[in-house]
Amino acid sequence: MARPIQAYIDLAALEHNLQVARRATSARLMSVIKADGYGHGLLRVAEALAATDGFALLDIQDAVRLREAGYRQTILLLEGFFNTEDLASVAEYDLACVIHSPWQIAMLDAFSGNRKLDVWLKVNTGMNRLGFTPQQVAQAMEQLQRHRAVRDITLMTHFANADEARGIAEPLALFNDVAASYRVARSLANSAALLRYPAAHGDWVRPGIMLYGATPFAPEKDRGVSAQQLGLRPAMTLSSRIIATQELRAGDEIGYGAQFRAEHSMRIGVVACGYADGYPRHAPNGTPILVDGQRTKTLGRVSMDMLYVDLSNLPQAEVGSRVVLWGESMPIDEVARTAGTVGYELMCALAKRVQVVV
Ligand SMILES: *Cc1c(COP(=O)(O)O)cnc(C)c1O
């Protein structure tokens, strides 16, 4: 028998979530599928999202795989090209490139190919990660507008706080001010801005996390909204089974570092899932988990291949009982919050050794 852990990817949920995005905007949809489709599998996700207007990711190899699989939509490289060799592939496969730094314009200048590229000029509106400051945009635009290697230009920015109470007012005003001088397409919104700020939709929205059925609005925040409230369905369900049970007496401890000590006699289960599968090691005692469809909690420290669950109130649970770590009926956002992280990180950390089923 194979080890019972598996990740079920619900293609219908991905399609559904794309429709939720579609209904929320009249802008074109650039589905963000970086990090192997947020851990769901690049080509699998692309197929489910085939009705999208574009795909955004980072790896040129992945972009080429998409083209070779027959996708004709815009494919945007979110960090653009990294070296001169990349540029040849970018041109050959007609990939759109973010231009975020002067060194990339210099590289374009040196590019000798004769095909023209679509570029997305990135404006730094306060996140201070990638992009030209509003003051630098005029010069960069001038260089790109008359560049022999450039076909179409889109102006873009990325928000640092679209999911926070602070919102997007400042960066949106900065961006609009810069963009007012140019008649080019605009792109600003991630999932949070797509769902919350229609004024920032522009011509292209760039949803990521919402497509996978998690919320961009962390539920512990004052403006938190759950995925379910947003009408989103989880695309990934990580499940496994109980492979052993133990009867503890008062005072017994469990796991490495004895992070849990029984106060009275109780029954616990051992689940075939650990941090080498992508479950967060820092998930504390009490992280929510489902056993046989019923909510209970993890106990003790997560080890590489196993973790413990409380079976005190689940007398029917036995070896073989199905466990849902996150996904259907166990929101990944709740697990993430308890573990001090976000759904994004859990999805992306799904380990290669976990069997994927669709
Ligand atoms: C990852 C990313 C997105 C998508 O963000 P979500 O919060 O997952 O919707 C959009 N734009 C850029 C530039 C990104 O890097």
Side-chain angles (χ1 to χ4, degrees), residues 32 34 38 78 122 129 156-158 188-192 206-210 216 344:
V32 181
K34 61 196 183 192
Y38 286 45
L78 286 168
K122 189 157 192 178
R129 194 173 61 177
M156 73 177 289
T157 191
H158 189 52
L188 309 85
N190 55 5
S191 299
R206 305 188 307 270
I209 194 70
M210 68 178 289
Y344 299 77

